[in-house]
Amino acid sequence: MEHMSVNEILSHLDELYPDAHCELEHRNNYEMAIAVILSAQTTDASVNRVTPVLFAKYPDLSSLAQGDIHDIEKCIASLGLYRNKARSIQGFAKGVMENFHGEIPRTMEELTTLPGVGRKCANVILSECFQVPALAVDTHVTRISKRLGLCYQKDDVTIIEKKLKRKVPKERWIKTHHQMIFFGRYLCHARNPECYRCPFTEICHEKNKNFSNK
């Protein structure tokens, strides 16, 4: 198997996706945070279909915190796990109102005390809302990291995050996160990856164990 440095990998990602960005539609930090919580185990496109109605009815944390849970469920009913997600976003809104004076917190430690917010979600909120250097590891980033040999197959998301942050320059964390998501979403799919147009086939661990397309 060929070897490729992290800088070479990043250069290829720059060529492929110079304008990679968050595809969750939002107008402010409140909408961003709620959209991220809703995006767990579903697509950004699915979230973008339900948030206009949700945010029209509940335009801020205060209104969402006080909203009728059954009505919130109706707004997001097309999403998987919508009942759990309705409780999570209302719990998040209540938590911010009650514990953080209505201001979404800006630290990992504080964010992860709130309902619906794990480490991945907190990293996205930190980077998108506050431009704090962070590198969220979702299913795409996990898959790409393993296929490109940036971590071991057995590594969990916490270890993958630590390894990526060690290997990728801090000023590139946010950009690289988005580029890896675009790469996973639009080229290196979980099933039937488009290997014929991939610049990484020589180093790909899946390709070289005959897992993906030949």
Side-chain angles (χ1 to χ4, degrees):
M1 190 183 298
E2 296 286 331
H3 175 74
M4 189 179 291
S5 70
V6 174
N7 284 339
E8 288 175 305
I9 290 173
L10 296 179
S11 293
H12 280 302
L13 289 174
D14 282 342
E15 291 173 12
L16 285 167
Y17 304 110
D19 302 314
H21 58 278
C22 177
E23 293 190 303
L24 289 169
E25 294 171 1
H26 62 285
R27 295 169 295 185
N28 51 52
N29 290 351
Y30 157 67
E31 292 187 359
M32 182 69 231
I34 297 304
V36 172
I37 296 170
L38 292 177
S39 71
Q41 298 180 318
T42 192
T43 65
D44 289 359
S46 297
V47 175
N48 291 339
R49 283 194 288 270
V50 303
T51 48
V53 171
L54 178 70
F55 295 145
K57 287 193 171 187
Y58 306 103
D60 52 33
L61 286 162
S62 178
S63 57
L64 185 62
Q66 299 173 57
D68 178 80
I69 190 65
H70 299 296
D71 185 59
I72 296 171
E73 288 176 358
K74 286 180 185 176
C75 292
I76 63 170
S78 64
L79 298 179
L81 306 173
Y82 72 93
R83 288 192 176 90
N84 287 340
K85 290 181 179 182
R87 287 195 296 272
S88 290
I89 60 173
Q90 184 169 59
F92 175 85
K94 287 179 177 178
V96 174
M97 294 302 297
E98 295 169 4
N99 302 325
F100 298 102
H101 310 290
E103 294 288 331
I104 296 173
R106 300 179 177 223
T107 69
M108 173 66 68
E109 293 71 27
E110 291 174 319
L111 282 167
T112 51
T113 66
L114 294 165
V117 181
R119 188 170 183 88
K120 185 211 79 172
C121 185
N123 272 322
V124 177
I125 293 172
L126 288 172
S127 61
E128 291 304 306
C129 294
F130 307 116
Q131 290 69 57
V132 173
L135 210 164
V137 178
D138 67 353
T139 54
H140 293 301
V141 175
T142 296
R143 182 171 71 258
I144 302 311
S145 298
K146 291 180 177 180
R147 287 183 175 177
L148 299 187
L150 295 170
C151 65
Y152 292 124
Q153 297 296 317
K154 62 180 173 55
D155 288 346
D156 63 22
V157 291
T158 303
I159 294 174
I160 294 170
E161 182 186 335
K162 288 178 180 177
K163 288 185 175 181
L164 289 177
K165 285 182 173 178
R166 193 168 65 239
K167 295 176 180 182
V168 176
K170 190 172 185 177
E171 65 272 14
R172 283 200 54 131
W173 287 355
I174 298 174
K175 180 181 183 181
T176 299
H177 160 74
H178 289 308
Q179 289 176 328
M180 292 180 82
I181 288 176
F182 268 49
F183 182 57
R185 186 174 286 162
Y186 300 117
L187 195 157
C188 192
H189 319 291
R191 297 180 181 178
N192 301 317
E194 299 175 41
C195 301
Y196 67 91
R197 64 186 187 96
C198 176
F200 303 119
T201 51
E202 295 305 315
I203 66 166
C204 179
H205 285 240
E206 297 291 354
K207 179 75 172 176
N208 286 282
K209 70 177 185 180
N210 299 317
F211 173 84
S212 57
N213 290 354
K214 294 183 178 179

PDB file of all heavy atoms in Angstrom, residues 43-80:
ATOM      1  N   THR A  43     -30.252  12.876   7.988  1.00  0.00           N
ATOM      2  CA  THR A  43     -29.507  13.723   7.054  1.00  0.00           C
ATOM      3  C   THR A  43     -29.785  15.205   7.298  1.00  0.00           C
ATOM      4  O   THR A  43     -30.846  15.583   7.808  1.00  0.00           O
ATOM      5  CB  THR A  43     -29.886  13.396   5.604  1.00  0.00           C
ATOM      6  OG1 THR A  43     -31.280  13.730   5.395  1.00  0.00           O
ATOM      7  CG2 THR A  43     -29.668  11.916   5.311  1.00  0.00           C
ATOM      8  N   ASP A  44     -28.832  16.039   6.886  1.00  0.00           N
ATOM      9  CA  ASP A  44     -29.031  17.482   6.990  1.00  0.00           C
ATOM     10  C   ASP A  44     -30.235  17.918   6.158  1.00  0.00           C
ATOM     11  O   ASP A  44     -30.990  18.804   6.556  1.00  0.00           O
ATOM     12  CB  ASP A  44     -27.779  18.229   6.512  1.00  0.00           C
ATOM     13  CG  ASP A  44     -26.610  18.098   7.479  1.00  0.00           C
ATOM     14  OD1 ASP A  44     -26.773  17.449   8.531  1.00  0.00           O
ATOM     15  OD2 ASP A  44     -25.529  18.649   7.186  1.00  0.00           O
ATOM     16  N   ALA A  45     -30.408  17.289   5.003  1.00  0.00           N
ATOM     17  CA  ALA A  45     -31.534  17.640   4.135  1.00  0.00           C
ATOM     18  C   ALA A  45     -32.867  17.390   4.837  1.00  0.00           C
ATOM     19  O   ALA A  45     -33.805  18.203   4.722  1.00  0.00           O
ATOM     20  CB  ALA A  45     -31.462  16.840   2.830  1.00  0.00           C
ATOM     21  N   SER A  46     -32.960  16.302   5.582  1.00  0.00           N
ATOM     22  CA  SER A  46     -34.190  15.997   6.320  1.00  0.00           C
ATOM     23  C   SER A  46     -34.449  17.053   7.395  1.00  0.00           C
ATOM     24  O   SER A  46     -35.593  17.481   7.594  1.00  0.00           O
ATOM     25  CB  SER A  46     -34.098  14.616   6.968  1.00  0.00           C
ATOM     26  OG  SER A  46     -33.987  13.610   5.998  1.00  0.00           O
ATOM     27  N   VAL A  47     -33.389  17.456   8.073  1.00  0.00           N
ATOM     28  CA  VAL A  47     -33.523  18.494   9.108  1.00  0.00           C
ATOM     29  C   VAL A  47     -33.965  19.810   8.477  1.00  0.00           C
ATOM     30  O   VAL A  47     -34.854  20.496   8.997  1.00  0.00           O
ATOM     31  CB  VAL A  47     -32.195  18.679   9.873  1.00  0.00           C
ATOM     32  CG1 VAL A  47     -32.303  19.851  10.855  1.00  0.00           C
ATOM     33  CG2 VAL A  47     -31.822  17.399  10.616  1.00  0.00           C
ATOM     34  N   ASN A  48     -33.367  20.155   7.341  1.00  0.00           N
ATOM     35  CA  ASN A  48     -33.702  21.420   6.674  1.00  0.00           C
ATOM     36  C   ASN A  48     -35.157  21.471   6.208  1.00  0.00           C
ATOM     37  O   ASN A  48     -35.708  22.557   6.014  1.00  0.00           O
ATOM     38  CB  ASN A  48     -32.774  21.650   5.476  1.00  0.00           C
ATOM     39  CG  ASN A  48     -31.334  21.927   5.898  1.00  0.00           C
ATOM     40  OD1 ASN A  48     -31.070  22.333   7.029  1.00  0.00           O
ATOM     41  ND2 ASN A  48     -30.397  21.700   4.994  1.00  0.00           N
ATOM     42  N   ARG A  49     -35.779  20.321   6.044  1.00  0.00           N
ATOM     43  CA  ARG A  49     -37.185  20.299   5.634  1.00  0.00           C
ATOM     44  C   ARG A  49     -38.128  20.620   6.790  1.00  0.00           C
ATOM     45  O   ARG A  49     -39.242  21.097   6.561  1.00  0.00           O
ATOM     46  CB  ARG A  49     -37.540  18.938   5.020  1.00  0.00           C
ATOM     47  CG  ARG A  49     -37.041  18.759   3.591  1.00  0.00           C
ATOM     48  CD  ARG A  49     -37.685  17.560   2.909  1.00  0.00           C
ATOM     49  NE  ARG A  49     -37.182  16.299   3.432  1.00  0.00           N
ATOM     50  CZ  ARG A  49     -36.116  15.656   2.939  1.00  0.00           C
ATOM     51  NH1 ARG A  49     -35.447  16.173   1.922  1.00  0.00           N
ATOM     52  NH2 ARG A  49     -35.721  14.509   3.454  1.00  0.00           N
ATOM     53  N   VAL A  50     -37.708  20.346   8.026  1.00  0.00           N
ATOM     54  CA  VAL A  50     -38.616  20.562   9.157  1.00  0.00           C
ATOM     55  C   VAL A  50     -38.337  21.854   9.932  1.00  0.00           C
ATOM     56  O   VAL A  50     -39.234  22.377  10.599  1.00  0.00           O
ATOM     57  CB  VAL A  50     -38.585  19.365  10.149  1.00  0.00           C
ATOM     58  CG1 VAL A  50     -38.934  18.077   9.450  1.00  0.00           C
ATOM     59  CG2 VAL A  50     -37.257  19.260  10.873  1.00  0.00           C
ATOM     60  N   THR A  51     -37.123  22.365   9.859  1.00  0.00           N
ATOM     61  CA  THR A  51     -36.798  23.527  10.708  1.00  0.00           C
ATOM     62  C   THR A  51     -37.527  24.817  10.339  1.00  0.00           C
ATOM     63  O   THR A  51     -37.811  25.616  11.244  1.00  0.00           O
ATOM     64  CB  THR A  51     -35.276  23.775  10.745  1.00  0.00           C
ATOM     65  OG1 THR A  51     -34.737  23.742   9.408  1.00  0.00           O
ATOM     66  CG2 THR A  51     -34.580  22.727  11.596  1.00  0.00           C
ATOM     67  N   PRO A  52     -37.873  25.083   9.059  1.00  0.00           N
ATOM     68  CA  PRO A  52     -38.607  26.325   8.794  1.00  0.00           C
ATOM     69  C   PRO A  52     -39.905  26.434   9.581  1.00  0.00           C
ATOM     70  O   PRO A  52     -40.215  27.490  10.150  1.00  0.00           O
ATOM     71  CB  PRO A  52     -38.862  26.268   7.280  1.00  0.00           C
ATOM     72  CG  PRO A  52     -37.712  25.478   6.751  1.00  0.00           C
ATOM     73  CD  PRO A  52     -37.481  24.410   7.800  1.00  0.00           C
ATOM     74  N   VAL A  53     -40.681  25.341   9.635  1.00  0.00           N
ATOM     75  CA  VAL A  53     -41.942  25.353  10.388  1.00  0.00           C
ATOM     76  C   VAL A  53     -41.661  25.456  11.890  1.00  0.00           C
ATOM     77  O   VAL A  53     -42.310  26.224  12.613  1.00  0.00           O
ATOM     78  CB  VAL A  53     -42.772  24.075  10.086  1.00  0.00           C
ATOM     79  CG1 VAL A  53     -43.974  23.981  11.028  1.00  0.00           C
ATOM     80  CG2 VAL A  53     -43.220  24.083   8.638  1.00  0.00           C
ATOM     81  N   LEU A  54     -40.672  24.696  12.348  1.00  0.00           N
ATOM     82  CA  LEU A  54     -40.322  24.715  13.774  1.00  0.00           C
ATOM     83  C   LEU A  54     -39.913  26.112  14.215  1.00  0.00           C
ATOM     84  O   LEU A  54     -40.398  26.629  15.232  1.00  0.00           O
ATOM     85  CB  LEU A  54     -39.187  23.726  14.042  1.00  0.00           C
ATOM     86  CG  LEU A  54     -38.686  23.662  15.490  1.00  0.00           C
ATOM     87  CD1 LEU A  54     -39.733  23.012  16.402  1.00  0.00           C
ATOM     88  CD2 LEU A  54     -37.363  22.884  15.562  1.00  0.00           C
ATOM     89  N   PHE A  55     -39.039  26.762  13.453  1.00  0.00           N
ATOM     90  CA  PHE A  55     -38.527  28.070  13.863  1.00  0.00           C
ATOM     91  C   PHE A  55     -39.540  29.189  13.644  1.00  0.00           C
ATOM     92  O   PHE A  55     -39.458  30.232  14.283  1.00  0.00           O
ATOM     93  CB  PHE A  55     -37.219  28.377  13.127  1.00  0.00           C
ATOM     94  CG  PHE A  55     -36.095  27.439  13.493  1.00  0.00           C
ATOM     95  CD1 PHE A  55     -35.157  27.043  12.548  1.00  0.00           C
ATOM     96  CD2 PHE A  55     -35.969  26.942  14.789  1.00  0.00           C
ATOM     97  CE1 PHE A  55     -34.116  26.184  12.879  1.00  0.00           C
ATOM     98  CE2 PHE A  55     -34.941  26.079  15.130  1.00  0.00           C
ATOM     99  CZ  PHE A  55     -34.014  25.699  14.172  1.00  0.00           C
ATOM    100  N   ALA A  56     -40.498  28.970  12.748  1.00  0.00           N
ATOM    101  CA  ALA A  56     -41.567  29.957  12.590  1.00  0.00           C
ATOM    102  C   ALA A  56     -42.441  29.984  13.839  1.00  0.00           C
ATOM    103  O   ALA A  56     -42.890  31.040  14.288  1.00  0.00           O
ATOM    104  CB  ALA A  56     -42.403  29.637  11.354  1.00  0.00           C
ATOM    105  N   LYS A  57     -42.680  28.789  14.411  1.00  0.00           N
ATOM    106  CA  LYS A  57     -43.495  28.699  15.629  1.00  0.00           C
ATOM    107  C   LYS A  57     -42.703  29.023  16.880  1.00  0.00           C
ATOM    108  O   LYS A  57     -43.245  29.590  17.848  1.00  0.00           O
ATOM    109  CB  LYS A  57     -44.087  27.284  15.757  1.00  0.00           C
ATOM    110  CG  LYS A  57     -45.204  26.990  14.794  1.00  0.00           C
ATOM    111  CD  LYS A  57     -45.932  25.712  15.205  1.00  0.00           C
ATOM    112  CE  LYS A  57     -47.187  25.509  14.376  1.00  0.00           C
ATOM    113  NZ  LYS A  57     -47.995  24.369  14.852  1.00  0.00           N
ATOM    114  N   TYR A  58     -41.442  28.644  16.878  1.00  0.00           N
ATOM    115  CA  TYR A  58     -40.589  28.824  18.063  1.00  0.00           C
ATOM    116  C   TYR A  58     -39.304  29.537  17.636  1.00  0.00           C
ATOM    117  O   TYR A  58     -38.283  28.907  17.378  1.00  0.00           O
ATOM    118  CB  TYR A  58     -40.281  27.468  18.703  1.00  0.00           C
ATOM    119  CG  TYR A  58     -41.538  26.673  19.025  1.00  0.00           C
ATOM    120  CD1 TYR A  58     -41.939  25.615  18.219  1.00  0.00           C
ATOM    121  CD2 TYR A  58     -42.339  27.018  20.121  1.00  0.00           C
ATOM    122  CE1 TYR A  58     -43.096  24.905  18.496  1.00  0.00           C
ATOM    123  CE2 TYR A  58     -43.501  26.324  20.405  1.00  0.00           C
ATOM    124  CZ  TYR A  58     -43.875  25.263  19.581  1.00  0.00           C
ATOM    125  OH  TYR A  58     -45.036  24.581  19.863  1.00  0.00           O
ATOM    126  N   PRO A  59     -39.359  30.870  17.548  1.00  0.00           N
ATOM    127  CA  PRO A  59     -38.246  31.630  16.973  1.00  0.00           C
ATOM    128  C   PRO A  59     -37.045  31.838  17.893  1.00  0.00           C
ATOM    129  O   PRO A  59     -36.024  32.366  17.452  1.00  0.00           O
ATOM    130  CB  PRO A  59     -38.890  32.969  16.618  1.00  0.00           C
ATOM    131  CG  PRO A  59     -40.014  33.116  17.599  1.00  0.00           C
ATOM    132  CD  PRO A  59     -40.529  31.723  17.824  1.00  0.00           C
ATOM    133  N   ASP A  60     -37.166  31.408  19.146  1.00  0.00           N
ATOM    134  CA  ASP A  60     -36.042  31.598  20.060  1.00  0.00           C
ATOM    135  C   ASP A  60     -36.093  30.559  21.180  1.00  0.00           C
ATOM    136  O   ASP A  60     -37.032  29.765  21.283  1.00  0.00           O
ATOM    137  CB  ASP A  60     -36.031  33.017  20.648  1.00  0.00           C
ATOM    138  CG  ASP A  60     -37.374  33.404  21.262  1.00  0.00           C
ATOM    139  OD1 ASP A  60     -38.069  32.507  21.802  1.00  0.00           O
ATOM    140  OD2 ASP A  60     -37.748  34.587  21.193  1.00  0.00           O
ATOM    141  N   LEU A  61     -35.050  30.568  22.005  1.00  0.00           N
ATOM    142  CA  LEU A  61     -34.938  29.590  23.087  1.00  0.00           C
ATOM    143  C   LEU A  61     -36.109  29.669  24.062  1.00  0.00           C
ATOM    144  O   LEU A  61     -36.633  28.649  24.501  1.00  0.00           O
ATOM    145  CB  LEU A  61     -33.627  29.809  23.847  1.00  0.00           C
ATOM    146  CG  LEU A  61     -32.353  29.358  23.130  1.00  0.00           C
ATOM    147  CD1 LEU A  61     -31.141  30.014  23.772  1.00  0.00           C
ATOM    148  CD2 LEU A  61     -32.215  27.840  23.177  1.00  0.00           C
ATOM    149  N   SER A  62     -36.522  30.885  24.381  1.00  0.00           N
ATOM    150  CA  SER A  62     -37.597  31.079  25.362  1.00  0.00           C
ATOM    151  C   SER A  62     -38.906  30.452  24.883  1.00  0.00           C
ATOM    152  O   SER A  62     -39.583  29.735  25.632  1.00  0.00           O
ATOM    153  CB  SER A  62     -37.798  32.569  25.633  1.00  0.00           C
ATOM    154  OG  SER A  62     -38.863  32.773  26.540  1.00  0.00           O
ATOM    155  N   SER A  63     -39.267  30.697  23.642  1.00  0.00           N
ATOM    156  CA  SER A  63     -40.533  30.163  23.119  1.00  0.00           C
ATOM    157  C   SER A  63     -40.467  28.638  23.005  1.00  0.00           C
ATOM    158  O   SER A  63     -41.456  27.952  23.277  1.00  0.00           O
ATOM    159  CB  SER A  63     -40.860  30.790  21.763  1.00  0.00           C
ATOM    160  OG  SER A  63     -39.820  30.584  20.835  1.00  0.00           O
ATOM    161  N   LEU A  64     -39.319  28.105  22.632  1.00  0.00           N
ATOM    162  CA  LEU A  64     -39.183  26.654  22.536  1.00  0.00           C
ATOM    163  C   LEU A  64     -39.240  26.012  23.922  1.00  0.00           C
ATOM    164  O   LEU A  64     -39.869  24.959  24.100  1.00  0.00           O
ATOM    165  CB  LEU A  64     -37.864  26.278  21.840  1.00  0.00           C
ATOM    166  CG  LEU A  64     -37.645  24.788  21.571  1.00  0.00           C
ATOM    167  CD1 LEU A  64     -38.721  24.231  20.632  1.00  0.00           C
ATOM    168  CD2 LEU A  64     -36.262  24.544  20.967  1.00  0.00           C
ATOM    169  N   ALA A  65     -38.631  26.650  24.879  1.00  0.00           N
ATOM    170  CA  ALA A  65     -38.634  26.129  26.250  1.00  0.00           C
ATOM    171  C   ALA A  65     -40.051  26.047  26.808  1.00  0.00           C
ATOM    172  O   ALA A  65     -40.373  25.136  27.584  1.00  0.00           O
ATOM    173  CB  ALA A  65     -37.760  27.006  27.145  1.00  0.00           C
ATOM    174  N   GLN A  66     -40.897  26.972  26.400  1.00  0.00           N
ATOM    175  CA  GLN A  66     -42.267  27.046  26.927  1.00  0.00           C
ATOM    176  C   GLN A  66     -43.289  26.376  26.003  1.00  0.00           C
ATOM    177  O   GLN A  66     -44.479  26.342  26.317  1.00  0.00           O
ATOM    178  CB  GLN A  66     -42.663  28.507  27.132  1.00  0.00           C
ATOM    179  CG  GLN A  66     -41.783  29.239  28.138  1.00  0.00           C
ATOM    180  CD  GLN A  66     -42.083  30.730  28.193  1.00  0.00           C
ATOM    181  OE1 GLN A  66     -43.222  31.124  28.444  1.00  0.00           O
ATOM    182  NE2 GLN A  66     -41.079  31.544  27.937  1.00  0.00           N
ATOM    183  N   GLY A  67     -42.825  25.837  24.889  1.00  0.00           N
ATOM    184  CA  GLY A  67     -43.743  25.279  23.894  1.00  0.00           C
ATOM    185  C   GLY A  67     -44.408  23.994  24.356  1.00  0.00           C
ATOM    186  O   GLY A  67     -43.963  23.318  25.282  1.00  0.00           O
ATOM    187  N   ASP A  68     -45.492  23.646  23.661  1.00  0.00           N
ATOM    188  CA  ASP A  68     -46.200  22.394  23.930  1.00  0.00           C
ATOM    189  C   ASP A  68     -45.422  21.255  23.278  1.00  0.00           C
ATOM    190  O   ASP A  68     -45.179  21.280  22.060  1.00  0.00           O
ATOM    191  CB  ASP A  68     -47.614  22.471  23.346  1.00  0.00           C
ATOM    192  CG  ASP A  68     -48.370  21.168  23.560  1.00  0.00           C
ATOM    193  OD1 ASP A  68     -48.886  20.953  24.666  1.00  0.00           O
ATOM    194  OD2 ASP A  68     -48.423  20.352  22.608  1.00  0.00           O
ATOM    195  N   ILE A  69     -45.040  20.273  24.053  1.00  0.00           N
ATOM    196  CA  ILE A  69     -44.183  19.200  23.555  1.00  0.00           C
ATOM    197  C   ILE A  69     -44.831  18.442  22.403  1.00  0.00           C
ATOM    198  O   ILE A  69     -44.145  18.032  21.451  1.00  0.00           O
ATOM    199  CB  ILE A  69     -43.777  18.228  24.698  1.00  0.00           C
ATOM    200  CG1 ILE A  69     -42.680  17.255  24.228  1.00  0.00           C
ATOM    201  CG2 ILE A  69     -44.989  17.483  25.230  1.00  0.00           C
ATOM    202  CD1 ILE A  69     -41.376  17.889  23.879  1.00  0.00           C
ATOM    203  N   HIS A  70     -46.141  18.266  22.448  1.00  0.00           N
ATOM    204  CA  HIS A  70     -46.819  17.542  21.371  1.00  0.00           C
ATOM    205  C   HIS A  70     -46.807  18.345  20.072  1.00  0.00           C
ATOM    206  O   HIS A  70     -46.718  17.774  18.976  1.00  0.00           O
ATOM    207  CB  HIS A  70     -48.258  17.200  21.779  1.00  0.00           C
ATOM    208  CG  HIS A  70     -48.328  16.321  22.983  1.00  0.00           C
ATOM    209  ND1 HIS A  70     -47.823  15.035  22.979  1.00  0.00           N
ATOM    210  CD2 HIS A  70     -48.811  16.534  24.239  1.00  0.00           C
ATOM    211  CE1 HIS A  70     -48.007  14.496  24.178  1.00  0.00           C
ATOM    212  NE2 HIS A  70     -48.595  15.389  24.950  1.00  0.00           N
ATOM    213  N   ASP A  71     -46.882  19.668  20.188  1.00  0.00           N
ATOM    214  CA  ASP A  71     -46.815  20.509  19.005  1.00  0.00           C
ATOM    215  C   ASP A  71     -45.398  20.502  18.425  1.00  0.00           C
ATOM    216  O   ASP A  71     -45.218  20.479  17.196  1.00  0.00           O
ATOM    217  CB  ASP A  71     -47.231  21.946  19.338  1.00  0.00           C
ATOM    218  CG  ASP A  71     -47.298  22.812  18.096  1.00  0.00           C
ATOM    219  OD1 ASP A  71     -48.072  22.471  17.189  1.00  0.00           O
ATOM    220  OD2 ASP A  71     -46.547  23.804  18.022  1.00  0.00           O
ATOM    221  N   ILE A  72     -44.396  20.515  19.294  1.00  0.00           N
ATOM    222  CA  ILE A  72     -43.006  20.429  18.840  1.00  0.00           C
ATOM    223  C   ILE A  72     -42.790  19.112  18.102  1.00  0.00           C
ATOM    224  O   ILE A  72     -42.154  19.065  17.048  1.00  0.00           O
ATOM    225  CB  ILE A  72     -42.034  20.562  20.035  1.00  0.00           C
ATOM    226  CG1 ILE A  72     -42.162  21.950  20.665  1.00  0.00           C
ATOM    227  CG2 ILE A  72     -40.589  20.306  19.593  1.00  0.00           C
ATOM    228  CD1 ILE A  72     -41.411  22.115  21.976  1.00  0.00           C
ATOM    229  N   GLU A  73     -43.356  18.026  18.650  1.00  0.00           N
ATOM    230  CA  GLU A  73     -43.258  16.720  17.987  1.00  0.00           C
ATOM    231  C   GLU A  73     -43.868  16.761  16.587  1.00  0.00           C
ATOM    232  O   GLU A  73     -43.307  16.216  15.634  1.00  0.00           O
ATOM    233  CB  GLU A  73     -43.963  15.652  18.824  1.00  0.00           C
ATOM    234  CG  GLU A  73     -43.230  15.268  20.099  1.00  0.00           C
ATOM    235  CD  GLU A  73     -44.023  14.276  20.932  1.00  0.00           C
ATOM    236  OE1 GLU A  73     -45.155  13.922  20.525  1.00  0.00           O
ATOM    237  OE2 GLU A  73     -43.521  13.853  21.994  1.00  0.00           O
ATOM    238  N   LYS A  74     -45.016  17.421  16.466  1.00  0.00           N
ATOM    239  CA  LYS A  74     -45.680  17.503  15.157  1.00  0.00           C
ATOM    240  C   LYS A  74     -44.799  18.222  14.141  1.00  0.00           C
ATOM    241  O   LYS A  74     -44.752  17.844  12.964  1.00  0.00           O
ATOM    242  CB  LYS A  74     -47.018  18.244  15.286  1.00  0.00           C
ATOM    243  CG  LYS A  74     -48.118  17.440  15.945  1.00  0.00           C
ATOM    244  CD  LYS A  74     -49.398  18.275  16.015  1.00  0.00           C
ATOM    245  CE  LYS A  74     -50.495  17.533  16.782  1.00  0.00           C
ATOM    246  NZ  LYS A  74     -51.710  18.378  16.925  1.00  0.00           N
ATOM    247  N   CYS A  75     -44.104  19.244  14.594  1.00  0.00           N
ATOM    248  CA  CYS A  75     -43.253  20.027  13.684  1.00  0.00           C
ATOM    249  C   CYS A  75     -42.119  19.196  13.093  1.00  0.00           C
ATOM    250  O   CYS A  75     -41.685  19.436  11.966  1.00  0.00           O
ATOM    251  CB  CYS A  75     -42.664  21.234  14.410  1.00  0.00           C
ATOM    252  SG  CYS A  75     -43.848  22.505  14.877  1.00  0.00           S
ATOM    253  N   ILE A  76     -41.645  18.217  13.858  1.00  0.00           N
ATOM    254  CA  ILE A  76     -40.468  17.450  13.414  1.00  0.00           C
ATOM    255  C   ILE A  76     -40.792  15.970  13.190  1.00  0.00           C
ATOM    256  O   ILE A  76     -39.901  15.134  13.142  1.00  0.00           O
ATOM    257  CB  ILE A  76     -39.309  17.588  14.419  1.00  0.00           C
ATOM    258  CG1 ILE A  76     -39.688  16.994  15.784  1.00  0.00           C
ATOM    259  CG2 ILE A  76     -38.898  19.053  14.574  1.00  0.00           C
ATOM    260  CD1 ILE A  76     -38.506  16.872  16.742  1.00  0.00           C
ATOM    261  N   ALA A  77     -42.091  15.670  13.020  1.00  0.00           N
ATOM    262  CA  ALA A  77     -42.544  14.272  12.989  1.00  0.00           C
ATOM    263  C   ALA A  77     -41.969  13.449  11.845  1.00  0.00           C
ATOM    264  O   ALA A  77     -41.959  12.215  11.914  1.00  0.00           O
ATOM    265  CB  ALA A  77     -44.070  14.222  12.948  1.00  0.00           C
ATOM    266  N   SER A  78     -41.478  14.099  10.797  1.00  0.00           N
ATOM    267  CA  SER A  78     -40.920  13.337   9.672  1.00  0.00           C
ATOM    268  C   SER A  78     -39.517  12.816   9.964  1.00  0.00           C
ATOM    269  O   SER A  78     -38.983  11.994   9.205  1.00  0.00           O
ATOM    270  CB  SER A  78     -40.895  14.199   8.406  1.00  0.00           C
ATOM    271  OG  SER A  78     -40.029  15.301   8.566  1.00  0.00           O
ATOM    272  N   LEU A  79     -38.918  13.274  11.055  1.00  0.00           N
ATOM    273  CA  LEU A  79     -37.578  12.806  11.431  1.00  0.00           C
ATOM    274  C   LEU A  79     -37.665  11.512  12.230  1.00  0.00           C
ATOM    275  O   LEU A  79     -38.610  11.304  12.992  1.00  0.00           O
ATOM    276  CB  LEU A  79     -36.852  13.858  12.282  1.00  0.00           C
ATOM    277  CG  LEU A  79     -36.582  15.219  11.647  1.00  0.00           C
ATOM    278  CD1 LEU A  79     -35.882  16.121  12.661  1.00  0.00           C
ATOM    279  CD2 LEU A  79     -35.754  15.082  10.376  1.00  0.00           C
ATOM    280  N   GLY A  80     -36.666  10.679  12.094  1.00  0.00           N
ATOM    281  CA  GLY A  80     -36.576   9.500  12.941  1.00  0.00           C
ATOM    282  C   GLY A  80     -36.352   9.922  14.385  1.00  0.00           C
ATOM    283  O   GLY A  80     -35.743  10.963  14.644  1.00  0.00           O
TER     284      GLY A  80
END
